[in-house]
Coordinates of all heavy atoms in Angstrom, one line a residue:
Chain A
A40 N 1.4 2.6 -5.5 CA 2.1 1.9 -4.3 C 3.1 2.9 -3.7 O 3.5 3.7 -4.3 CB 2.7 0.6 -4.7
P41 N 3.5 2.7 -2.4 CA 4.5 3.5 -1.8 C 5.8 3.4 -2.7 O 6.2 2.2 -3.1 CB 4.8 2.8 -0.5 CG 3.5 2.1 -0.2 CD 3.0 1.6 -1.5
G42 N 6.5 4.5 -3.0 CA 7.7 4.4 -3.7 C 7.7 4.2 -5.1 O 8.7 3.9 -5.8
D68 N -0.3 12.4 2.7 CA 0.5 11.4 3.5 C 0.1 11.1 4.8 O -0.6 11.9 5.4 CB 2.0 12.1 3.6 CG 2.8 12.1 2.4 OD1 2.9 11.0 1.7 OD2 3.2 13.1 1.9
V69 N 0.4 9.9 5.3 CA 0.0 9.5 6.7 C 0.6 10.6 7.6 O 0.0 11.1 8.5 CB 0.4 8.1 7.0 CG1 0.1 7.9 8.4 CG2 -0.2 7.1 6.1
Q70 N 1.9 10.9 7.4 CA 2.6 11.8 8.3 C 3.7 12.4 7.6 O 4.3 11.8 6.5 CB 3.2 10.8 9.5 CG 3.8 11.6 10.7 CD 4.1 10.7 11.7 OE1 3.4 9.7 12.1 NE2 5.2 10.9 12.4
L73 N 7.6 15.4 3.6 CA 8.8 15.3 2.7 C 8.5 15.5 1.3 O 9.3 16.2 0.6 CB 9.3 13.8 3.0 CG 9.9 13.5 4.3 CD1 10.1 12.0 4.4 CD2 11.2 14.2 4.5
D74 N 7.3 15.0 0.8 CA 7.0 15.2 -0.6 C 6.7 16.6 -0.9 O 7.1 17.2 -1.9 CB 5.9 14.3 -1.0 CG 6.4 12.7 -0.9 OD1 7.5 12.5 -0.9 OD2 5.4 11.9 -1.1
G96 N -4.6 8.1 11.0 CA -3.7 7.4 10.1 C -4.2 6.6 9.0 O -3.8 5.5 8.8
C98 N -5.2 5.1 5.4 CA -4.3 4.6 4.4 C -4.7 5.2 3.0 O -4.4 4.7 1.9 CB -4.4 3.1 4.3 SG -6.1 2.5 4.0
G126 N 0.3 6.5 -0.6 CA 0.9 5.4 -1.3 C 0.2 4.1 -0.9 O 0.4 3.6 0.3
N127 N -0.6 3.5 -1.7 CA -1.4 2.3 -1.4 C -2.3 1.9 -2.6 O -2.9 2.7 -3.3 CB -2.5 2.8 -0.3 CG -3.3 1.6 0.2 OD1 -3.4 0.5 -0.4 ND2 -3.9 1.8 1.3
L128 N -2.2 0.6 -3.0 CA -2.8 0.2 -4.2 C -4.2 -0.4 -3.9 O -4.9 -0.9 -4.8 CB -2.0 -1.0 -4.8 CG -0.8 -0.7 -5.6 CD1 -0.2 -1.8 -6.3 CD2 -1.1 0.4 -6.6
V129 N -4.7 -0.2 -2.8 CA -6.1 -0.8 -2.3 C -7.1 0.4 -2.3 O -7.9 0.8 -3.1 CB -6.1 -1.7 -1.2 CG1 -7.5 -2.4 -1.1 CG2 -5.1 -2.8 -1.3
C130 N -7.2 0.9 -1.0 CA -8.2 1.8 -0.6 C -8.4 3.2 -1.3 O -9.4 3.6 -1.6 CB -8.3 2.1 0.9 SG -8.3 0.4 1.8
E133 N -11.1 3.4 -3.9 CA -12.5 3.2 -3.5 C -13.1 4.6 -3.2 O -14.3 4.6 -2.9 CB -12.5 2.2 -2.3 CG -12.1 0.9 -2.6 CD -12.0 0.1 -1.3 OE1 -12.7 0.3 -0.3 OE2 -11.3 -0.9 -1.4
T148 N 9.6 -2.0 -11.0 CA 10.3 -2.9 -9.9 C 9.3 -3.7 -9.1 O 9.5 -4.5 -8.4 CB 11.0 -1.9 -9.0 OG1 10.1 -1.0 -8.4 CG2 12.1 -1.3 -9.7
E149 N 7.9 -3.4 -9.3 CA 6.8 -4.0 -8.6 C 6.5 -5.3 -9.1 O 5.6 -6.0 -8.5 CB 5.7 -3.1 -8.3 CG 6.0 -1.9 -7.6 CD 4.8 -0.7 -7.9 OE1 3.9 -1.0 -8.4 OE2 5.0 0.4 -7.4
D152 N 2.6 -8.6 -12.1 CA 1.4 -9.2 -11.7 C 0.4 -8.2 -11.0 O -0.7 -8.6 -10.7 CB 1.7 -10.4 -10.7 CG 2.5 -10.0 -9.5 OD1 2.9 -8.7 -9.4 OD2 2.7 -10.7 -8.6
K153 N 0.8 -7.0 -10.8 CA 0.0 -6.1 -9.9 C -1.4 -5.7 -10.4 O -2.3 -5.7 -9.7 CB 0.8 -4.8 -9.7 CG 2.0 -5.0 -8.7 CD 1.7 -5.6 -7.5 CE 3.0 -6.1 -6.7 NZ 3.6 -7.4 -7.4
L155 N -3.4 -7.8 -11.7 CA -4.3 -9.0 -11.4 C -4.5 -9.0 -9.9 O -5.5 -9.6 -9.4 CB -3.5 -10.3 -11.9 CG -3.2 -10.4 -13.4 CD1 -2.5 -11.7 -13.7 CD2 -4.4 -10.2 -14.1
K156 N -3.5 -8.5 -9.1 CA -3.6 -8.6 -7.7 C -4.4 -7.4 -7.0 O -5.0 -7.5 -6.0 CB -2.2 -8.7 -7.0 CG -1.5 -10.0 -7.3 CD -0.1 -10.1 -6.7 CE -0.2 -10.2 -5.3 NZ 1.2 -10.4 -4.8
Y157 N -4.4 -6.2 -7.8 CA -5.0 -5.1 -7.3 C -5.9 -4.6 -8.4 O -5.8 -3.5 -8.8 CB -3.9 -4.0 -6.9 CG -3.2 -4.6 -5.7 CD1 -1.9 -5.2 -6.0 CD2 -3.3 -4.5 -4.4 CE1 -1.0 -5.7 -5.1 CE2 -2.6 -4.9 -3.5 CZ -1.3 -5.6 -3.7 OH -0.6 -6.0 -2.7
P158 N -6.9 -5.4 -8.9 CA -7.6 -5.0 -10.1 C -8.4 -3.8 -10.0 O -8.6 -2.9 -10.9 CB -8.6 -6.3 -10.4 CG -8.6 -6.9 -9.0 CD -7.3 -6.7 -8.4
K171 N 10.0 4.1 -14.0 CA 11.3 3.5 -13.7 C 11.8 2.6 -14.9 O 12.5 1.7 -14.6 CB 11.3 2.7 -12.4 CG 10.8 3.6 -11.3 CD 11.1 3.0 -9.9 CE 10.5 3.9 -8.8 NZ 10.8 3.4 -7.4
L174 N 15.3 1.2 -15.3 CA 15.8 0.0 -14.6 C 15.5 -1.3 -15.5 O 16.0 -2.3 -15.0 CB 15.2 -0.2 -13.2 CG 15.6 1.0 -12.3 CD1 14.8 0.9 -11.0 CD2 17.1 1.0 -12.0
H177 N 18.1 -4.1 -15.9 CA 18.7 -4.7 -14.7 C 17.5 -5.6 -14.0 O 17.8 -6.0 -12.8 CB 19.1 -3.6 -13.7 CG 19.8 -2.6 -14.4 ND1 21.1 -2.9 -14.9 CD2 19.7 -1.4 -14.6 CE1 21.7 -1.9 -15.5 NE2 20.8 -0.9 -15.4
L178 N 16.4 -5.7 -14.6 CA 15.3 -6.5 -14.0 C 14.9 -7.7 -14.7 O 15.1 -7.6 -16.1 CB 14.1 -5.6 -13.9 CG 14.2 -4.4 -12.9 CD1 13.0 -3.6 -13.0 CD2 14.5 -4.7 -11.5
D179 N 14.3 -8.8 -14.2 CA 13.6 -9.8 -14.9 C 12.1 -9.4 -15.1 O 11.3 -9.8 -14.3 CB 13.7 -11.0 -14.0 CG 15.1 -11.3 -13.6 OD1 16.0 -11.4 -14.5 OD2 15.3 -11.7 -12.4
R204 N 13.4 9.5 -13.6 CA 14.9 9.7 -13.3 C 15.6 10.3 -14.6 O 16.3 11.3 -14.4 CB 15.4 8.5 -12.8 CG 16.7 8.5 -12.3 CD 17.3 7.1 -12.0 NE 18.6 7.0 -11.3 CZ 19.5 6.1 -11.5 NH1 19.0 5.0 -12.4 NH2 20.5 6.0 -11.0
Chain M
A40 N 5.1 -3.2 1.3 CA 4.5 -2.5 0.2 C 4.3 -3.5 -0.9 O 5.0 -4.6 -1.1 CB 5.2 -1.2 -0.3
P41 N 3.3 -3.1 -1.9 CA 3.2 -4.1 -3.1 C 4.5 -4.2 -3.8 O 5.1 -3.1 -4.1 CB 2.1 -3.3 -3.9 CG 1.3 -2.5 -2.9 CD 2.3 -2.1 -2.0
G42 N 4.9 -5.5 -4.2 CA 6.0 -5.7 -5.0 C 7.3 -5.4 -4.4 O 8.4 -5.3 -5.1
D68 N -4.2 -11.9 -0.1 CA -4.3 -11.1 -1.2 C -5.7 -10.6 -1.3 O -6.5 -11.3 -1.0 CB -3.9 -11.9 -2.5 CG -2.4 -12.2 -2.6 OD1 -1.7 -11.1 -2.7 OD2 -1.9 -13.3 -2.8
V69 N -5.9 -9.5 -1.8 CA -7.1 -9.0 -2.2 C -7.9 -10.0 -3.0 O -9.0 -10.4 -2.9 CB -7.0 -7.6 -2.8 CG1 -8.5 -7.2 -3.2 CG2 -6.4 -6.5 -1.9
Q70 N -7.1 -10.4 -4.1 CA -7.8 -11.3 -5.2 C -6.7 -12.2 -5.7 O -5.5 -11.8 -5.9 CB -8.4 -10.4 -6.2 CG -9.4 -11.1 -7.2 CD -10.1 -10.2 -8.0 OE1 -10.7 -9.2 -7.5 NE2 -10.2 -10.4 -9.2
L73 N -1.9 -15.9 -7.3 CA -0.6 -15.9 -7.9 C 0.5 -16.2 -7.1 O 1.4 -17.1 -7.5 CB -0.3 -14.6 -8.6 CG -1.3 -14.2 -9.8 CD1 -1.1 -12.7 -10.1 CD2 -1.0 -15.0 -11.0
D74 N 0.6 -15.7 -5.9 CA 1.7 -16.0 -4.9 C 1.6 -17.4 -4.4 O 2.6 -18.0 -4.3 CB 1.7 -14.9 -3.8 CG 2.1 -13.4 -4.3 OD1 2.5 -13.4 -5.5 OD2 1.9 -12.5 -3.6
G96 N -12.8 -6.7 0.1 CA -11.6 -6.1 -0.5 C -10.6 -5.4 0.5 O -10.2 -4.3 0.1
C98 N -7.6 -4.1 2.8 CA -6.3 -3.8 2.4 C -5.3 -4.3 3.4 O -4.1 -4.0 3.4 CB -6.0 -2.2 2.4 SG -6.4 -1.5 4.0
G126 N -0.1 -6.6 0.5 CA 0.9 -5.5 0.2 C 0.4 -4.2 0.5 O -0.5 -3.7 -0.1
N127 N 0.9 -3.5 1.6 CA 0.4 -2.2 2.1 C 1.2 -1.9 3.3 O 1.5 -2.6 4.2 CB -1.1 -2.4 2.5 CG -1.8 -1.1 3.1 OD1 -1.2 -0.1 3.2 ND2 -3.1 -1.2 3.2
L128 N 1.6 -0.6 3.3 CA 2.5 -0.1 4.3 C 1.8 0.6 5.4 O 2.4 1.2 6.4 CB 3.6 0.9 3.8 CG 4.7 0.2 3.0 CD1 5.9 1.3 2.8 CD2 5.4 -0.8 3.9
V129 N 0.5 0.5 5.5 CA -0.3 1.2 6.5 C -1.0 0.2 7.4 O -0.6 -0.1 8.5 CB -1.3 2.4 5.9 CG1 -1.9 3.1 7.0 CG2 -0.6 3.2 4.9
C130 N -2.2 -0.2 6.9 CA -3.2 -0.9 7.9 C -2.7 -2.2 8.4 O -3.1 -2.6 9.4 CB -4.5 -1.0 7.2 SG -5.1 0.6 6.8
T148 N 14.2 0.0 -4.0 CA 13.6 0.9 -5.1 C 12.5 1.9 -4.6 O 12.0 2.7 -5.3 CB 12.9 -0.1 -6.2 OG1 11.9 -0.9 -5.4 CG2 13.9 -1.0 -6.8
E149 N 12.1 1.7 -3.4 CA 10.9 2.5 -2.8 C 11.5 3.9 -2.3 O 10.8 4.6 -1.9 CB 10.3 1.7 -1.7 CG 9.6 0.4 -2.1 CD 9.1 -0.4 -1.0 OE1 9.4 -0.1 0.0 OE2 8.7 -1.6 -1.3
D152 N 13.1 7.3 2.2 CA 12.2 8.0 3.1 C 11.0 7.2 3.7 O 10.3 7.7 4.6 CB 11.6 9.3 2.3 CG 10.7 8.9 1.1 OD1 10.8 7.6 0.8 OD2 10.1 9.6 0.4
K153 N 10.9 6.0 3.3 CA 9.7 5.4 3.8 C 9.5 5.2 5.3 O 8.4 5.3 5.8 CB 9.6 3.9 3.1 CG 9.3 4.1 1.6 CD 8.1 4.8 1.2 CE 8.0 5.3 -0.2 NZ 9.0 6.4 -0.6
L155 N 10.0 7.3 7.6 CA 9.5 8.5 7.9 C 8.1 8.8 7.6 O 7.3 9.4 8.2 CB 10.4 9.7 7.5 CG 11.9 9.7 7.7 CD1 12.6 10.9 7.3 CD2 12.1 9.6 9.3
K156 N 7.7 8.2 6.4 CA 6.4 8.3 5.8 C 5.4 7.4 6.4 O 4.2 7.6 6.4 CB 6.4 8.4 4.3 CG 7.2 9.5 3.8 CD 7.2 9.5 2.3 CE 5.9 9.8 1.7 NZ 5.9 9.7 0.1
Y157 N 5.9 6.2 6.7 CA 4.9 5.1 7.3 C 5.6 4.7 8.6 O 5.9 3.4 8.7 CB 4.9 4.0 6.3 CG 4.4 4.5 4.9 CD1 5.3 4.8 3.9 CD2 3.0 4.4 4.6 CE1 4.8 5.3 2.7 CE2 2.5 4.9 3.4 CZ 3.5 5.3 2.4 OH 3.0 5.8 1.2
P158 N 5.6 5.4 9.6 CA 6.4 5.1 10.8 C 5.8 3.9 11.6 O 6.5 3.1 12.2 CB 6.4 6.4 11.7 CG 5.4 7.3 11.1 CD 5.3 6.9 9.6
K171 N 16.2 -6.4 -2.7 CA 16.7 -5.8 -4.0 C 18.0 -5.1 -4.0 O 18.3 -4.2 -4.8 CB 15.6 -5.1 -4.6 CG 14.3 -5.7 -4.6 CD 13.3 -5.1 -5.6 CE 11.8 -5.6 -5.4 NZ 10.8 -5.1 -6.3
L174 N 20.1 -4.1 -7.1 CA 19.8 -2.9 -7.8 C 20.5 -1.7 -7.5 O 20.5 -0.7 -8.2 CB 18.2 -2.7 -8.0 CG 17.4 -3.7 -8.7 CD1 16.0 -3.4 -8.5 CD2 17.8 -3.9 -10.2
H177 N 22.4 0.7 -9.7 CA 21.7 1.4 -10.7 C 20.6 2.4 -10.2 O 19.8 3.0 -10.9 CB 20.8 0.3 -11.5 CG 21.6 -0.8 -12.0 ND1 22.7 -0.7 -12.8 CD2 21.6 -2.0 -11.6 CE1 23.3 -1.9 -12.9 NE2 22.6 -2.8 -12.2
L178 N 20.7 2.8 -8.8 CA 19.7 3.5 -8.3 C 20.5 4.8 -7.6 O 21.6 4.6 -7.2 CB 19.0 2.8 -7.1 CG 18.1 1.6 -7.6 CD1 17.6 0.9 -6.3 CD2 17.0 2.1 -8.4
D179 N 19.8 5.9 -7.5 CA 20.2 7.0 -6.6 C 19.7 6.7 -5.2 O 18.6 7.3 -4.8 CB 19.7 8.3 -7.1 CG 20.0 8.5 -8.6 OD1 21.0 8.3 -9.0 OD2 19.1 8.8 -9.3
R204 N 16.7 -12.1 -5.4 CA 17.1 -12.4 -6.8 C 18.3 -13.1 -7.0 O 18.5 -14.2 -7.6 CB 17.1 -11.1 -7.7 CG 17.1 -11.4 -9.2 CD 17.3 -10.0 -9.8 NE 17.2 -10.0 -11.3 CZ 17.8 -9.1 -11.9 NH1 18.5 -8.2 -11.5 NH2 17.8 -9.2 -13.3

Side-chain angles (χ1 to χ4, degrees):
Chain A
D68 282 303
V69 177
Q70 195 169 316
L73 291 168
D74 293 346
C98 61
N127 181 349
L128 284 186
V129 187
C130 302
E133 298 173 19
T148 58
E149 295 164 8
D152 58 352
K153 294 300 163 290
L155 304 180
K156 295 178 71 177
Y157 303 90
K171 306 195 191 181
L174 293 175
H177 314 296
L178 300 172
D179 309 312
R204 190 187 184 211
Chain M
D68 282 303
V69 176
Q70 194 170 317
L73 291 169
D74 292 346
C98 62
N127 181 349
L128 283 187
V129 187
C130 303
T148 58
E149 296 164 7
D152 58 353
K153 294 301 164 291
L155 304 180
K156 294 179 71 176
Y157 303 91
K171 306 195 192 181
L174 293 176
H177 313 296
L178 301 171
D179 309 312
R204 190 188 185 208

